Amino acid sequence: MVDQHRHHDTVSSATERTEKQKQLGETQRKFQQRIQKREKKLQDLRQAVESLTRSAQAAVEDSERIFTELIYSIERRRSEVKELIRDQEKASVSQAEGVIKRLEQEIAELRRRDAEMEQLSHTEDHIHFLQSCQSLSSYPECKDLPSITVNPDVSFEFVKKFVSDLKDKLEHICKEKLAKISGTVKDMHLLPVPGSSTVKDVHRLQAPEPRTREEFLQCESVYSAEFTQV
């Protein structure tokens, strides 16, 4: 009777072992499938990281180059405005100095004539007075001067306003574009942000390995449920 009971227990254990072995094999197969998928994801993630790194480096280099070109362009425009102002200043001053020189020459000649007439008016030599009066009374010949209308309000102050307006527009454009760049860059993620379901799944996969038979069976049931969803 005892041997028969032992034989029955052995058969039952063997049957249970066969069933559990089958379940374990199925679970192992799903584990292997999961491993393959995880390895594929790992490879994809590494490639994505490499691609992101290359893209970030290229973006930095392109940004540096473009900003350098922009700075150079602004510097060139600054030099052009400066040169334009200086050229106009030089031309206007040169024109004015030419007129000033001719006016000074005419004034000097008129002063000389005036001094001679003043001296002649005090002479007591009637004959000398009559002889000199005719020549001194005639207006001295001088080159025709252009009609001179001096603008006392001439100023380059308007340039400051135009350049200031340009600065404000550039700053507005830069601020607007930088906000778009910042928003776009911050939205780029290789992985979901913390709090997403994927991140929670990753944390769960990092749980400690089961140590007892009960923990293993519990873990097996959890993973089996997950594998059916993979």
Side-chain angles (χ1 to χ4, degrees), residues 35-56:
I35 290 171
Q36 291 177 354
K37 290 184 178 181
R38 284 294 183 262
E39 287 178 341
K40 179 64 168 60
K41 287 185 178 181
L42 176 61
Q43 181 182 2
D44 292 344
L45 182 57
R46 284 175 173 169
Q47 291 177 349
V49 169
E50 292 177 359
S51 177
L52 178 67
T53 302
R54 290 193 300 268
S55 178

Side-chain angles (χ1 to χ4, degrees), residues 131-145:
Q131 290 176 343
S132 301
C133 185
Q134 182 65 29
S135 60
L136 290 175
S137 297
S138 62
Y139 196 80
E141 293 185 3
C142 62
K143 296 180 180 179
D144 292 335
L145 289 173

Side-chain angles (χ1 to χ4, degrees), residues 90-114:
K90 183 178 179 180
S92 297
V93 170
S94 177
Q95 180 187 25
E97 286 179 343
V99 175
I100 289 172
K101 183 177 181 180
R102 291 163 66 181
L103 285 172
E104 288 176 343
Q105 291 174 347
E106 182 178 351
I107 291 171
E109 178 63 20
L110 291 173
R111 288 186 183 279
R112 186 185 66 79
R113 291 288 188 94
D114 180 65

